[in-house]
Amino acid sequence: MKDYIEGDRGRLEELFQKSLGAQELPEARPLCQVCYHFTGELADIEVGFVGASEDEYYLVANSPEGEEALKTLGYQGGGDLKEREEALKEMKEARRQKRRTYFTEEFGSQISGPDALLSTLHDCTNCHNCMRVCPICFCRECFFDSDALKVSPDNYLGRARKKGALRLLPDTLLFHMGRMNHMSLSCVSCGVCEDACPNGVPVSRLFAMVGDRTRAIFDYEPGRDLEESIPFLDYREEELQEWEAPYTQSTTHCPSSS
Ligand code: SF4
Ligand code: SF4
Ligand code: SF4
């Protein structure tokens, strides 16, 4: 597990002060360094420093309830947010670009291909900590903790005989690929799974990167709109045919089907 802020209270305070004015914090989680959702626009009241001069800050009401609360506290509102909005737009675009580069040229290139992926997950001991802390993995009983995957020693022996050998611990890839399939569309890049990993597996970056790619296909963004349904729940028969085509064509030309 990794502590991002080590040391005493003074160090914490120093980092907090630095974070108020800084755009880059090397001590932050890897995913926080490439996050472009760093404002609280879904909160009733947002406290903002971006675009403000030193010793000033913005209090932004994002809902009628927020407005009411600020009025009750004596704030009249009506301030100009133009400088803040322009500064935010620039920062967010820079972060988007940084994220794209990180997931394509840096981290992305390290895990590209089956061998690199297996090597990335090599230290995984299948403890499922990453799943337990994930805010999206809220199933009452996780499939990967269920009896369906509790197999007898004979099962392992049978599989080892059949394949010639069996990697222990088994099924780590099944766990990650399965979990990725279940929830990576909704991964919010919070990074806590990677914090909770006892073996330093870059699991949050892997899930966030795959999530970015699959979300781009569906033009979906988790949390953007409460009315927007998850692509899993919105089945359309005519979509993604360009992905299916290679498989349907190879089935058509399969000798056994003629
Ligand atoms: S980074 Fe994604 S997968 Fe990891 S805990 Fe957060 S939401 Fe879950
Ligand atoms: S891995 Fe799948 S089954 Fe397990 S908690 Fe997450 S979404 Fe649910
Ligand atoms: S990635 Fe880390 S936290 Fe997740 S199952 Fe593997 S060892 Fe456990």
Side-chain angles (χ1 to χ4, degrees):
M1 284 196 222
K2 179 160 182 178
D3 285 332
Y4 290 94
I5 297 177
E6 294 163 339
D8 59 19
R9 184 92 205 152
R11 173 80 180 126
L12 185 63
E13 181 64 23
E14 184 197 323
L15 274 174
F16 179 66
Q17 288 305 330
K18 196 172 153 197
S19 73
L20 296 182
Q23 295 184 19
E24 307 299 336
L25 274 180
E27 293 89 347
R29 287 173 180 147
L31 278 183
C32 293
Q33 295 182 40
V34 293
C35 175
Y36 51 89
H37 287 300
F38 47 78
T39 50
E41 65 264 26
L42 295 180
D44 291 316
I45 298 174
E46 195 181 341
V47 182
F49 295 88
V50 175
S53 53
E54 210 174 323
D55 299 331
E56 287 190 336
Y57 57 90
Y58 291 96
L59 277 177
V60 186
N62 292 320
S63 69
E65 290 81 0
E67 260 176 49
E68 194 55 40
L70 286 184
K71 269 190 201 148
T72 308
L73 290 170
Y75 293 97
Q76 290 315 307
D80 187 2
L81 290 175
K82 196 161 166 260
E83 273 188 47
R84 173 172 166 76
E85 282 162 2
E86 277 171 8
L88 281 176
K89 194 174 163 200
E90 207 174 296
M91 278 177 74
K92 287 188 179 186
E93 189 42 48
R95 280 288 181 85
R96 277 179 200 272
Q97 185 53 47
K98 189 176 174 190
R99 187 176 177 107
R100 276 194 290 269
T101 306
Y102 184 66
F103 280 156
T104 48
E105 293 165 25
E106 297 168 33
F107 180 72
S109 66
Q110 289 163 27
I111 61 158
S112 182
D115 289 343
L117 179 63
L118 278 171
S119 153
T120 302
L121 297 172
H122 178 265
D123 291 334
C124 174
T125 48
N126 223 356
C127 67
H128 295 186
N129 270 4
C130 48
M131 174 272 293
R132 288 197 183 88
V133 297
C134 174
I136 308 298
C137 276
F138 52 78
C139 301
R140 194 166 287 176
E141 183 185 27
C142 175
F143 172 74
F144 299 100
D145 278 345
S146 71
D147 287 344
L149 291 187
K150 289 193 180 100
V151 294
S152 67
D154 284 347
N155 176 296
Y156 290 133
L157 282 173
R159 283 157 68 187
R161 281 194 199 104
K162 207 167 164 186
K163 294 164 77 175
L166 185 66
R167 177 185 179 271
L168 290 174
L169 299 159
D171 301 332
T172 49
L173 197 57
L174 174 74
F175 167 62
H176 289 291
M177 295 296 107
R179 191 168 95 87
M180 195 177 279
N181 182 31
H182 292 184
M183 53 61 65
S184 66
L185 270 167
S186 302
C187 168
V188 288
S189 299
C190 66
V192 295
C193 50
E194 198 163 321
D195 286 2
C197 177
N199 298 321
V201 179
V203 66
S204 72
R205 285 171 275 171
L206 176 62
F207 276 57
M209 187 191 79
V210 171
D212 275 11
R213 291 182 185 175
T214 45
R215 283 192 291 267
I217 295 169
F218 295 102
D219 185 27
Y220 175 72
E221 180 105 35
R224 175 170 59 186
D225 180 353
L226 290 178
E227 301 302 318
E228 190 175 17
S229 80
I230 304 170
F232 268 138
L233 303 177
D234 190 15
Y235 173 70
R236 293 175 209 165
E237 197 165 346
E238 300 304 320
E239 70 181 353
L240 299 179
Q241 287 176 336
E242 68 278 22
W243 296 77
E244 290 174 4
Y247 301 101
T248 49
Q249 277 164 17
S250 64
T251 307
T252 309
H253 293 115
C254 175
S256 60
S257 67
S258 58

